[in-house]
């Protein structure tokens, strides 16, 4: 199938240069220049100063508080008068914050002596990475916050200096001079491009459209996904686009919902008109040598009910590979057919080499909310380990035709719990056992899985629920050990469908008990622990190398506290043999032995760190590990901090 493009020509006169002639700067070995450390998203650092033998000695080196002062900072504090002016314009009063009251999931970048990050206080800042001191600050302005997971870096081309690039929640793409924080000259209007074009908005001017994750840069292109609505009704398109890094001009568009004549149709006639969803709100990765971009796509809207979109609904909840220079469709692998569970793909597709049967296979691994792991040949999209189309339950909702089968890996065991029965209910404490038993029996809740459809006017529990499984944080790959290391958790979702009072003939969630399958007062899930794990998959065999319980429940007696916890955010791995991870809702930051899964170091933070850490080598010769911890996220952790903390050896 070929997915034709609205604009398929990349090298045109309007562009300053072509990809084939572009030479990209190689970053220093101790930098962290993009979200996944490398464009393939391995999140593997070659640094080994911090290792299994000394990690227990880590201590805070500095803390940066993201909340700006009420008064503008002085020029002396900012280094330059221009930067001071930017801070003055961006200074926010206490309490001003982003989507969830000051919460953020940002992973900073460190490139060529500066650290870059977005904040939930409408600023993008550059810091001295050895001290956490501000070098410059840019006020985003307008009504939208910057993307909550960070920025992307372009190294320049000789004639133009390096740039920091990010999107906003209200649909702007912004480029800054990486050295000064001033708007990048020649990019859009004063460094800003309006992403809400007429085509992308589908005639819905007020529809939700913006960016929550950073874009990815490949050669001279900025490739962007977007966050759009999840509810019913017409909305903005989830198409993936590329923009010229110098001018901000739109270069290509890949239609994530195949249009007439573009591909074999898997949508009911007329069901795609102004259809929203099927968007890349998470992370893209790139095979730079082959020029392929890997795009994880989400569910269509409405993401719990699909009677108005019969069919498999390509390319929803699929991994799509496209030519990064032109946007030309190459292949796809659909992880969930006709998604009615909100099982979006959002975690970074991780590039790796798999050694199997004596040959090295270029591969890409994708994990997601559904709890399965798929390892594919990244040139063809074919599974390297066996996948079967297995029968799954039918839906009882009028008009809804759930997919008869779903792809299930047969060689790689599920990363998280994918089924649930009455025998699985928690017996951790008598009180908790009684609550969970009564919750299920008194409300006649239907248990099952995998792929249990939402029932009509009866509560069901999907396991995993709508946040996973594995959420946007995804995993990290240690090429020295051949291990893909990822945090997975078991948190079911109570759901039910009822006739919609707003749109006759359709159905919506109307359950009074709609929400997490846990005891709200204790936040303890209602199935047996562990509720969260860190685990390693040997990609050369498909076997689980180890599992380690990830997280504690502080409110329980000490002897049974190690239950594991739900987690949002992901791990990184280093050549020092370590895996660093925050993510859990217990306010901890941890280091594990990547080879064995042994927990080696733990520190309690002021808030949960629902972000992915990073590490870099400072100009002072020290390796630093950095984590953002504000709380928040869809785990509803309290937002009790604004800290970015760097750790180093004494």
């Amino acid at each position: 199938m070929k997915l034709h493009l609205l604009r398929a020509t990349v090298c045109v006169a309007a562009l300053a240069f072509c990809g084939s002639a572009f030479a990209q700067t190689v970053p220093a070995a101790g930098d962290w220049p993009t979200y996944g450390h490398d464009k393939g998203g391995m999140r593997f650092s070659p640094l080994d100063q911090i290792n299994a033998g000394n990690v227990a000695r880590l201590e805070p080196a500095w803390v940066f508080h993201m909340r700006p002062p009420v008064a503008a900072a002085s020029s002396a504090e900012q280094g330059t008068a221009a930067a001071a002016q930017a801070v003055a314009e961006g200074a926010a009063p206490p309490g001003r914050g982003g989507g969830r009251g000051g919460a953020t999931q940002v992973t900073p970048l460190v490139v060529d002596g500066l650290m870059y990050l977005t904040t939930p206080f409408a600023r993008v800042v550059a810091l001295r990475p050895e001290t956490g001191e501000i070098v410059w600050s840019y006020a985003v302005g307008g009504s939208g916050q910057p993307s909550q997971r960070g920025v992307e870096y372009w190294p320049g081309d000789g004639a133009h200096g390096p740039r920091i690039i990010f999107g906003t929640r209200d649909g702007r793409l912004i480029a800054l001079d990486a050295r000064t924080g001033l708007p990048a000259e020649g990019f859009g209007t004063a460094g800003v491009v309006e992403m809400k074009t007429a085509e992308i908005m589908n005639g819905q001017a007020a529809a939700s459209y913006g960016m929550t994750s950073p874009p990815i840069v490949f050669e001279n292109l900025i490739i962007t996904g977007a966050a759009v609505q999840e509810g019913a009704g017409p909305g903005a398109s989830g198409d993936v686009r590329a923009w010229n890094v110098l001018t901000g001009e739109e270069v290509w568009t890949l239609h994530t919902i195949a249009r007439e004549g573009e591909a074999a149709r898997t949508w009911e006639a007329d069901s795609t008109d102004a259809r929203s969803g099927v968007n890349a709100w998470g992370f893209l990765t790139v095979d730079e040598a082959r020029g392929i971009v890997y795009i994880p796509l989400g569910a269509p809207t409405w993401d719990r009910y699909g009677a108005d979109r019969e069919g498999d609904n390509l390319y929803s909840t699929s991994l799509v590979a496209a030519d990064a220079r032109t946007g030309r469709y190459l292949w796809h692998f659909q992880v969930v057919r006709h998604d009615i569970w909100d099982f979006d793909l959002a975690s970074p597709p991780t590039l790796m080499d798999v050694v199997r049967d004596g040959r090295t296979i270029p591969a890409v691994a994708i994990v997601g909310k559904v709890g399965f792991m798929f390892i594919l040949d990244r040139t063809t999209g074919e599974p390297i380990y066996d996948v079967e189309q297995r029968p799954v339950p039918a839906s009882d909702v009028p008009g809804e035709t759930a997919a008869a089968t779903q792809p299930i890996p047969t060689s790689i065991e599920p990363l998280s719990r994918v089924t649930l029965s009455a025998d699985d209910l928690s017996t951790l404490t008598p009180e908790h056992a009684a609550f969970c038993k009564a919750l299920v029996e008194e409300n006649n809740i239907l248990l099952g899985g995998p792929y249990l459809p939402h029932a009509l006017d009866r509560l069901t529990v999907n396991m995993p629920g709508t946040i996973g499984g594995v959420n946007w944080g995804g995993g990290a790959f240690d090429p020295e050990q051949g291990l893909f290391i990822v945090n997975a958790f078991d948190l079911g979702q109570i759901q039910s469908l009822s006739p919609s009072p707003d749109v006759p003939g359709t159905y919506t969630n109307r359950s009074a008990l709609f929400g997490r399958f846990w005891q709200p007062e204790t936040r303890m899930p209602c199935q047996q622990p562990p509720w969260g794990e860190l685990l390693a998959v040997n990609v050369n065999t498909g076997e689980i190398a180890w599992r380690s319980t990830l997280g504690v429940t502080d409110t329980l007696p000490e002897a049974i506290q190690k239950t594991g916890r739900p987690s949002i955010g992901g791990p990184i791995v280093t050549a020092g043999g370590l895996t660093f991870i925050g993510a859990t809702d217990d306010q901890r930051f941890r280091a594990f032995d990547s080879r064995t899964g042994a927990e080696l170091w733990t520190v309690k933070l002021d808030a949960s760190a629902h972000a992915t850490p990073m590490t870099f080598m400072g100009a002072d010769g020290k390796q630093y590990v950095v984590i953002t911890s504000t709380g928040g996220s869809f785990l509803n952790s309290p937002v009790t901090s604004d800290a970015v903390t760097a750790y180093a050896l004494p």
Side-chain angles (χ1 to χ4, degrees):
M1 292 179 291
K2 301 292 185 183
L3 187 60
H4 298 285
L5 307 173
L6 186 68
R7 279 165 290 277
T9 303
V10 176
C11 298
V12 295
L15 302 188
F17 46 88
C18 272
S20 60
F22 183 78
Q24 185 167 329
T25 303
V26 178
D31 285 353
W32 193 280
T34 189
Y35 180 86
H37 182 269
D38 63 275
K39 300 292 185 182
M42 286 199 301
R43 299 207 297 247
F44 173 79
S45 169
L47 300 179
D48 61 3
Q49 185 182 96
I50 303 170
N51 55 53
N54 60 26
V55 66
R57 298 172 57 211
L58 282 181
E59 59 186 30
W62 54 258
V63 178
F64 171 67
H65 291 284
M66 291 178 286
R67 187 185 303 278
V70 175
S74 68
S75 60
E77 291 172 318
Q78 303 311 315
T80 68
Q85 181 181 357
V87 171
E89 293 170 351
R96 180 182 175 188
R100 290 178 179 267
T104 184
Q105 300 164 343
V106 67
T107 296
L109 306 186
V110 168
V111 194
D112 197 19
L114 286 179
M115 174 179 284
Y116 305 99
L117 65 147
T118 58
T119 82
F121 304 100
R123 297 196 304 168
V124 176
V125 299
L127 309 179
R128 299 196 187 283
E130 299 81 12
T131 64
E133 297 171 290
I134 290 182
V135 175
W136 57 254
S137 176
Y138 173 83
V140 173
S143 61
Q145 292 287 337
S147 52
Q148 66 207 49
R149 299 183 188 105
V151 302
E152 175 67 319
Y153 178 85
W154 178 65
D157 64 354
H160 304 85
R163 294 182 172 183
I164 293 299
I165 300 153
F166 62 96
T168 66
R169 296 298 301 268
D170 61 353
R172 290 170 289 157
L173 184 64
I174 299 177
L176 307 176
D177 184 303
R179 288 296 168 193
T180 65
L182 298 175
E185 292 186 10
F187 187 89
T189 302
V192 180
V193 167
E194 176 56 66
M195 301 178 72
K196 291 182 176 180
T197 60
E199 182 195 18
I200 213 74
M201 297 308 290
N202 285 330
Q204 310 296 315
S208 175
Y209 188 90
M211 290 179 65
T212 55
S213 300
I216 196 161
V217 163
F218 172 70
E219 295 180 348
N220 62 324
L221 298 175
I222 306 163
I223 307 176
T224 61
V228 297
Q229 71 188 55
E230 296 191 26
S237 167
D239 289 350
V240 173
R241 294 181 285 177
W243 316 76
N244 181 278
V245 74
L246 292 180
T247 66
E249 293 175 313
E250 190 175 338
V251 177
W252 58 253
T253 296
L254 184 147
H255 298 138
T256 59
I257 295 177
R259 300 187 178 185
E260 292 292 346
E262 290 184 337
R265 296 284 286 177
T266 59
W267 295 76
E268 186 181 30
D270 301 324
S271 69
T272 61
D273 295 343
R275 175 74 62 182
S276 196
V278 195
N279 56 307
W281 61 265
F283 299 91
L284 314 180
T285 55
V286 171
D287 183 332
E288 293 186 283
R290 293 174 173 83
I292 300 174
V293 60
Y294 298 91
I295 304 166
L297 291 169
T301 58
W302 162 228
D303 55 16
R304 309 294 205 286
Y305 170 75
D308 63 342
R309 50 177 171 88
E310 187 176 347
D312 284 351
N313 306 147
L314 290 173
Y315 297 99
S316 68
T317 321
S318 299
L319 179 61
V320 172
D323 186 313
R325 296 183 179 95
T326 67
R328 180 175 62 90
Y329 164 89
L330 298 176
W331 56 259
H332 76 273
F333 181 87
Q334 190 166 36
V335 171
V336 181
R337 302 172 59 203
H338 189 76
D339 191 346
I340 51 175
W341 299 273
D342 189 23
F343 277 154
D344 300 338
L345 294 186
S347 64
T350 306
L351 306 193
M352 59 185 64
D353 286 337
V354 170
V355 180
R356 195 165 187 226
D357 299 328
R359 67 187 186 100
T360 300
I361 307 169
V364 56
I366 188 69
V367 295
K369 298 179 184 180
V370 71
F372 295 124
M373 179 178 182
F374 300 89
I375 304 179
L376 313 173
D377 184 313
R378 69 174 180 262
T379 63
T380 66
E382 292 298 317
I384 293 173
Y385 293 98
D386 292 341
V387 175
E388 290 183 356
Q389 289 286 342
R390 289 185 177 173
V392 292
S395 172
D396 70 349
V397 175
E400 179 67 85
T401 304
T405 65
Q406 293 289 353
I408 308 291
T410 59
S411 300
I412 304 175
E413 68 181 71
L415 306 182
S416 62
R417 185 190 295 268
V418 296
T419 62
L420 190 65
S421 72
D423 293 336
D424 298 320
L425 295 181
S426 174
T427 58
L428 190 62
T429 69
E431 296 80 11
H432 187 52
F435 170 86
C436 296
K437 187 173 186 290
L439 174 67
V440 171
E441 293 181 352
E442 293 175 9
N443 294 284
N444 191 29
I445 295 179
L446 180 64
L447 310 177
Y451 295 107
L452 179 68
H454 313 320
L456 180 61
D457 292 323
R458 182 182 178 184
L459 296 175
T460 63
V461 170
N462 295 110
M463 181 64 74
T466 58
I467 60 174
V470 180
N471 209 277
W472 56 261
F477 179 63
D478 184 336
E480 297 179 352
Q481 306 294 327
L483 296 178
F484 178 82
I485 300 175
V486 63
N487 51 305
F489 60 97
D490 301 339
L491 184 56
Q493 184 83 10
I494 302 174
Q495 310 210 64
S496 179
L497 290 180
S498 298
S500 170
D502 304 316
V503 185
T506 66
Y507 296 81
T508 187
N509 279 303
R510 289 292 171 185
S511 165
L513 285 175
F514 172 74
R516 312 295 182 221
F517 186 54
W518 64 9
Q519 187 174 10
E521 296 79 12
T522 65
R523 296 169 60 87
M524 295 199 305
C526 269
Q527 76 282 347
Q528 296 282 31
W531 298 321
E533 293 181 298
L534 186 70
L535 63 144
V537 179
N538 183 327
V539 303
N540 299 320
T541 65
E543 298 173 340
I544 304 295
W546 51 258
R547 289 181 180 265
S548 184
T549 301
L550 179 64
V552 297
T553 301
D554 288 306
T555 55
L556 288 171
E558 185 174 356
I560 57 172
Q561 282 185 351
K562 197 166 185 178
T563 58
R565 294 298 308 170
S567 57
I568 296 290
I572 65 169
V573 290
T574 75
L578 297 173
T579 298
F580 289 97
I581 185 166
T584 49
D585 66 356
D586 61 2
Q587 299 183 211
R588 267 54 168 207
F589 185 35
R590 296 176 169 91
F592 290 80
D593 187 316
S594 297
R595 290 160 296 187
T596 66
E599 189 172 329
L600 302 177
W601 173 76
T602 305
V603 62
K604 190 168 185 179
L605 306 166
D606 290 337
S608 293
H610 297 308
T612 299
M614 55 82 71
T615 186
F616 69 94
M617 182 65 75
D620 55 5
K622 284 189 173 185
Q623 181 184 353
Y624 294 82
V625 182
V626 179
I627 188 69
T628 303
S629 55
T630 63
S633 87
F634 283 101
L635 292 176
N636 298 322
S637 302
V639 180
T640 54
S641 179
D642 64 347
V644 179
T645 306
Y647 293 86
L649 296 172

